[in-house]
Amino acid sequence: MSRIMRSSVQQIFVFAALVGIYIFFMFAAPNFAQFSIALDIVQQSAYIGVMALGATFVIATGGIDLSSGTGMTLVAVMAGVFLSGEWMNMPLGGGLILVLLVGGALGLANGANIAYLGLPPFIATLATMMVARGLALIISDKASISIKNPGYGWIANGQLIPGVPNAVLFFILLAVVAAVMLNKTLLGRYALAIGSNEEATRLSGVNTKLWKMLVYVVAGVFVAFGAILYSARFGFVQPAEGLGFELNVIAAVVIGGTSLAGGRANILGTVVGALIMETLKKGLLMMGIAQEWQFVVTGIVVIIAVFVDNLRRRRAAAA
């Protein structure tokens, strides 16, 4: 079976899983079949899904990013600093640019530590996770920050298309951008090449250190976009939140078919993976299942996804 055909089969399988889960909850959870619930699932998936788009590039290189959850919180806190009247009260456009730069800076720190200092991705991003969490608490003085800029709230809650929140549109738009970047640009091609065989890629003349660092910068920018969608929807930032979001991000990527070993990535699969995670969360909540059991189900789903990925790689190696 060719690589393209295997990818197509994987996409069909993941999408079928989403449909199957949704149909199950239509019968198991009262009122789950309402259109408003489906729209809410997509809207709730937006910020995790957008961060997962960036994480797809990282995992494609064979790396990992544990800092996306607390990094998102720090970026959201900085959005409050830049745009709130009690703080800097900047114009919306300038504030958003600075927010994206903060996200890119976090990614740059991760990328430099991994590519140039040679730190393992797990350790480097774990350190960034703790630094980001600490800075978010210090800057906010452990207090929630309200973001009352009306234009900022419109980013997530406005409706360019009547009945469809802007968060959904931005999620779709950024997914298209990520797909183009992965499949049509040097960044995506080199990310996959590094994940497949970094040494061979380096010997072919590619500056693997530079491109690996740029991958983490891009992931940081996507974290910033996720932070904007998250904080814009609710209008405030809780500096203690975000811890654990990185697990949902990684789960969405892995469930979507991107290999933890690197060398294979699927943006559409990541989008569907994020929808699967949120559908499970929403369905279990509407069934009255305690949040503790939601974590259990999520963990089981991740284990299954990783097992399937390992099984697929063994079969591909044997073919």
Side-chain angles (χ1 to χ4, degrees), residues 153-316:
W154 178 88
I155 293 173
N157 300 318
Q159 297 184 359
L160 280 172
I161 298 177
V164 180
N166 287 342
V168 175
L169 301 182
F170 280 115
F171 185 19
I172 295 172
L173 175 62
L174 290 171
V176 172
V177 171
V180 172
M181 290 175 63
L182 181 66
N183 297 302
K184 301 296 183 181
T185 68
L186 289 177
L187 180 77
R189 293 169 185 170
Y190 287 158
L192 293 171
I194 290 170
S196 295
N197 192 325
E198 182 173 354
E199 182 63 15
T201 304
R202 185 185 66 81
L203 292 175
S204 69
V206 176
N207 188 341
T208 54
K209 291 184 178 179
L210 174 63
W211 286 102
K212 186 184 289 187
M213 184 178 70
L214 290 177
V215 164
Y216 280 90
V217 172
V218 168
V221 172
F222 275 97
V223 166
F225 277 118
I228 291 170
L229 293 179
Y230 178 78
S231 55
R233 180 177 185 190
F234 299 106
F236 64 91
V237 181
Q238 293 282 3
E241 289 187 350
L243 189 63
F245 285 7
E246 66 279 349
L247 301 180
N248 290 331
V249 169
I250 295 170
V253 177
V254 175
I255 290 171
T258 296
S259 175
L260 282 172
R264 188 180 67 250
N266 190 325
I267 293 297
L268 178 59
T270 296
V271 172
V272 177
L275 292 174
I276 287 176
M277 295 295 296
E278 187 58 35
T279 301
L280 283 170
K281 177 181 175 182
K282 191 73 172 180
L284 292 171
L285 180 65
M286 294 183 66
M287 287 179 64
I289 304 298
Q291 187 178 31
E292 294 80 7
W293 285 103
Q294 295 176 29
F295 293 139
V296 172
V297 172
T298 299
I300 292 173
V301 170
V302 173
I303 290 173
I304 293 173
V306 174
F307 172 76
V308 171
D309 176 56
N310 289 335
L311 183 63
R312 184 172 54 245
R313 284 192 289 112
R314 287 198 295 268
R315 288 180 176 178

